[in-house]
Amino acid sequence: MQTVEHESFDAPSEVREFPHGRGEILRVGDSVISRLVLQPGWRWSQDIKPIAGTDSCQAPHFQYHVSGTIAIKMDSGAEFVAGPGDVTSLPEGHDAWVVGDEPVVVVDWYGAANWAAATA
């Protein structure tokens, strides 16, 4: 039987700080959901790559874009821009960066458990 749970990004289970942003992590039942707040100047290959230790982001994502504009380039060379109201499903193997002067806020239902987490 499923139980009722109520969590809020106002009091996340964990906050992961990194250059130009933060990831706010909620644990709800067996799920991990994150809200990423990425400031202008943020780029995965500059700000997260040193934490992840991989050449490109290896976390798959399923995200709802709340605000701001982000460019995404897949390792295959495919490139696109996502903004408010968009939903993206990304396999592993990509870079991303904030476009413009507005912070990017996305809610990620997949890939949040290990994203921007320091490896031991």
Side-chain angles (χ1 to χ4, degrees):
M1 173 187 251
Q2 187 175 9
T3 61
V4 174
E5 294 189 50
H6 177 248
E7 300 295 335
S8 173
F9 283 115
D10 290 338
S13 306
E14 178 184 354
V15 176
R16 298 179 188 157
E17 301 277 346
F18 44 83
H20 297 105
R22 69 183 182 280
E24 302 162 343
I25 312 299
L26 291 182
R27 288 178 173 73
V28 182
D30 294 335
S31 298
V32 179
I33 304 157
S34 68
R35 177 170 64 181
L36 305 177
V37 180
L38 311 171
Q39 298 299 324
W42 178 87
R43 186 173 184 130
W44 187 93
S45 56
Q46 294 171 355
D47 298 319
I48 306 300
K49 181 178 178 176
I51 299 168
T54 57
D55 288 333
S56 62
C57 182
Q58 297 302 302
H61 302 284
F62 184 60
Q63 300 174 323
Y64 173 72
H65 297 258
V66 177
S67 62
T69 303
I70 192 166
I72 299 158
K73 183 174 183 179
M74 304 303 299
D75 287 354
S76 67
E79 191 172 334
F80 62 95
V81 174
D86 290 348
V87 173
T88 54
S89 178
L90 303 174
E92 58 277 341
H94 54 272
D95 190 9
W97 58 94
V98 172
V99 175
D101 295 329
E102 182 182 356
V104 167
V105 177
V106 299
V107 176
D108 191 349
W109 279 271
Y110 193 74
N114 298 317
W115 196 85
T119 56

